[in-house]
Amino acid sequence: MKTETTIQGLTASLAPTRSSKKLIGFVPTMGNLHEGHLTLVREAKKLCDVVVVSIFVNPIQFGAGEDFDSYPRTLEQDSRLLADAGCDIIFAPSVEQMYGTQPRLTNISVSQITDDLCGKSRPGHFDGVAVVVTKLFNIVQPDYAFFGQKDYQQLAVIRQLVQDLNMPLEVIGVPIIRAEDGLALSSRNGYLTEQQRALAPTIYQLLKQAEQQLHEGQTLTQVLENISAQLTQAGFVVDYVEARQTNLQPIQQFDQNLVLFIAAKLGSTRLIDNLQIDFKT
C-alpha cells in the first residue's frame, strides 16, 4: 500500500493502472476510520482492481462552531486499518494541496435536495461537500465511488452532481453498518460519554418501532411526533424527525416507499440516522 500526499504523486501512482485499463475504485473519507469505512473499502475491492482511499478533513464543509479543529486526525491508525482492508493507495493531501494559496472563486451548489434536513441546519455544508467531492473525482478519476447510506442526503447530492455534470463514474451506496446495539457507526460516536453512548441506540430503536407502527396503520404524522417526543424525553435535543420519498421529495401518498430521517444531539455530539421503509403492494 502506498501513501501519496500530492496530486502529482497520486497521478503517477495511478498511471500504470490507467494504461492497463484496470478499474479504479474510490472511497472518500475524513479519516478516523471505523468498520463502516472499511466495509466501503472491501466493497470497492470486490469490484475494482485498485482502491484509492482519500483521508482529508475538508474545512469548507464545516460551519461556524462545528468541530473542524477538534475533528480527530488519526492517519497512522487509519493506515494500518486500510492495509488490512485491502486498500492500495491512500491519498492524504494537505489543505494547501487541495485548495492552493489563492482565494477560491468557484462554488458548486446542488439545489432543492439540499434545502432542508441537514441542509437547513448546516447551511453551506453540502456546497462544501460538492466542491471537495468534485475536486477529488477530478484528481482520482475513478470508475466507481463508494459512499455509506448513513449520510443519505449526502449520497443523493453526490449522485445528482455526477448526473448533472456528466462525470464518467458510477456512485455506489453501501448499507449502513451498525454496532451490535444498533447505533449507526460514525467517527463522531467517539465524542460520546459512556452514559451518552448507552443512550445513543435509542435513535435506531425508535426508527424500527416507527416502521412497525406505520405497517400497523398509524399515521405518518403521529409516528413522527411520537419519535420526536420520545427522543426529547430521553434527553436528546432534536434537530429534525422527517420522512421523505426515497428521492428526497416530499411524501405524496402514505403507501409509497419512504425514508425516515433523524438528526439529534446528545450533549455536543450530533447524531444522524435513517431507515428506508418499504410498503409491499
Side-chain angles (χ1 to χ4, degrees), residues 93-273:
S94 64
V95 172
E96 185 176 334
Q97 184 69 203
M98 287 296 292
Y99 290 107
T101 56
Q102 300 302 312
R104 177 176 56 88
L105 303 181
T106 302
N107 199 28
I108 301 172
S109 183
V110 177
S111 62
Q112 294 185 30
I113 57 174
T114 61
D115 290 345
D116 62 358
L117 302 175
C118 285
K120 186 175 182 180
S121 53
R122 302 183 71 190
H125 168 70
F126 287 117
D127 289 359
V129 169
V131 168
V132 78
V133 168
T134 300
K135 281 175 164 283
L136 288 167
F137 284 172
N138 285 338
I139 293 165
V140 179
Q141 298 177 36
D143 298 284
Y144 297 92
F146 297 78
F147 295 83
Q149 291 176 356
K150 180 180 76 70
D151 298 295
Y152 193 101
Q153 190 176 15
Q154 172 179 278
L155 178 57
V157 167
I158 291 163
R159 283 185 164 139
Q160 192 72 43
L161 187 74
V162 166
Q163 174 185 300
D164 291 350
L165 300 183
N166 297 105
M167 295 181 177
L169 69 135
E170 183 176 340
V171 175
I172 295 180
V174 178
I176 298 171
I177 304 300
R178 300 183 180 277
E180 286 186 12
D181 57 10
L183 178 64
L185 296 188
S186 167
S187 297
R188 289 187 168 92
N189 292 349
Y191 296 154
L192 297 170
T193 66
E194 189 175 339
Q195 184 178 8
Q196 290 167 345
R197 176 61 186 83
L199 189 59
T202 303
I203 292 176
Y204 183 60
Q205 292 161 12
L206 289 174
L207 286 171
K208 293 298 289 182
Q209 177 182 299
E211 178 180 35
Q212 183 178 343
Q213 290 169 341
L214 288 170
H215 282 301
E216 290 171 353
Q218 287 195 35
T219 69
L220 186 57
T221 301
Q222 283 178 324
V223 168
L224 296 179
E225 288 177 352
N226 182 48
I227 292 173
S228 189
Q230 289 192 62
L231 284 171
T232 301
Q233 187 176 9
F236 293 81
V237 176
V238 177
D239 183 352
Y240 60 78
V241 178
E242 300 275 0
R244 294 287 184 276
Q245 295 182 52
T246 55
N247 63 0
L248 289 183
Q249 297 305 307
I251 302 293
Q252 299 296 334
Q253 58 191 58
F254 173 70
D255 60 350
Q256 64 188 164
N257 294 347
L258 56 85
V259 186
L260 294 182
F261 294 93
I262 294 176
K265 277 190 170 183
L266 265 181
S268 61
T269 305
R270 187 174 186 274
L271 302 173
I272 63 171
D273 204 346

Side-chain angles (χ1 to χ4, degrees), residues 37-55:
H37 297 111
L38 301 179
T39 298
L40 299 179
V41 175
R42 287 190 282 266
E43 288 299 310
K45 198 69 180 173
K46 290 177 188 175
L47 198 59
C48 303
D49 301 299
V50 171
V51 176
V52 179
V53 177
S54 64
I55 295 177

